[in-house]
Amino acid sequence: MGGMDLDMRSAGIALLLGLAAAPAGAVVGGREAPETAGSAVMVLSSNGGVCTGIVVAQDSVLTAGHCVAAGSRQGGAEHRVHFRDEAGQPVLVDLAARAVHPGYDAGAIAGRRRSIDLALVRTATPLPGRFRPTPLSAALPRAGESLVLSGYGVSKPGEPRTTGTFRSAVLPVVEPYGQSRILVWMKPSGGASGACQGDSGGPIADAPGAPPLAVSAWVGGGACGSISQGVLLGPQRDWIDRTLAGWGRSAGWSAP
């Protein structure tokens, strides 16, 4: 199955930190969603990778595995969590720990193999109080349902300066891809809309501001705005909970 991971190696940390607070974007065909950005940050690598992350504890962030995995295109890179402070100034926070799901396979797309593209990172210092840990959802969406995909990635493919604003798009779950215990696929019903570079690790929920039920991992079927793929969280709850417990942390889970 062809496609691409949603990291953005073309945009370096130096470039990102030099961006003005002027209009930027993410999620092609989406809208700005500052009202739901309080539980999301960016995960950056020193080789230019850009991803989105979900705050699940005050110092713990859930993201895509390929964003931080050794042996991936960002392997060996130094990683940090990024956000802007209340004055709009960029802040970089070092990591104290990271854990990549043991089912992650960096060569899965090329080899047509299954992969569980998830990771957790723990920051060396807690995130500011304005970042609210979000509960997670174990819901399994079905074909025809609409989901809200969000992230900090580019709003225009190939234009890294459009990175940095949290945006969302509403997309339907599609068949024959929809029924899975690992993945969910979404495809816009009209026009180009969906995840693009930098949106990896971003939340996918069944309503704006609702607990995420998946994280973005892959786009395919051509340019950004065609098929978006996410890794379902419910089937990976045991790994998420065990990893956080090993750090003395825990994630909240919404009632089914």
Side-chain angles (χ1 to χ4, degrees):
M1 176 170 52
M4 61 179 175
D5 291 337
L6 303 181
D7 59 78
M8 191 167 68
R9 302 181 70 209
S10 59
I13 290 176
L15 172 62
L16 181 66
L17 298 185
L19 292 178
V27 180
V28 295
R31 68 169 186 87
E32 293 189 14
E35 72 279 5
T36 58
S39 298
V41 292
M42 299 178 76
V43 180
L44 309 184
S45 67
S46 57
N47 66 6
V50 179
C51 286
T52 300
I54 303 167
V55 179
V56 294
Q58 211 61 46
D59 63 354
S60 302
V61 173
L62 180 67
T63 189
H66 72 261
C67 295
V68 298
S72 70
R73 286 181 296 180
Q74 298 185 37
E78 183 178 356
H79 298 88
R80 292 186 176 93
V81 163
H82 165 77
F83 59 88
R84 291 187 180 273
D85 64 20
E86 294 182 344
Q89 297 302 306
V91 177
L92 289 171
V93 182
D94 290 335
L95 300 186
R98 69 178 179 181
V100 178
H101 195 289
Y104 170 68
D105 179 351
I109 293 175
R112 298 176 180 267
R113 299 185 298 269
R114 101 174 196 171
S115 177
I116 302 173
D117 198 348
L118 285 180
L120 283 159
V121 298
R122 180 164 56 87
T123 55
T125 56
L127 297 170
R130 65 187 177 88
F131 287 99
R132 304 177 303 276
T134 183
L136 305 176
S137 171
L140 299 177
R142 302 183 64 86
E145 293 183 27
S146 291
L147 300 179
V148 180
L149 180 152
S150 306
Y152 280 109
V154 297
S155 61
K156 295 181 180 180
E159 297 189 20
R161 287 187 176 273
T162 64
T163 305
T165 294
F166 196 71
R167 292 174 68 91
S168 297
V170 178
L171 301 168
V173 177
V174 294
E175 291 283 13
Y177 317 104
Q179 294 300 106
S180 172
R181 289 289 301 179
I182 300 175
L183 304 171
V184 60
W185 284 264
M186 296 147 287
K187 185 176 182 179
S189 54
S193 183
C196 201
Q197 291 93 351
D199 292 320
S200 284
I204 298 171
D206 59 11
L213 56 82
V215 301
S216 296
W218 178 87
V219 297
C224 295
S226 181
I227 297 173
S228 300
Q229 179 200 80
V231 179
L232 293 166
L233 300 181
Q236 312 311 325
R237 179 171 180 171
D238 181 64
W239 177 81
I240 293 170
D241 287 346
R242 282 189 292 104
T243 301
L244 289 172
W247 295 344
R249 310 293 186 266
S250 62
W253 290 84
S254 63

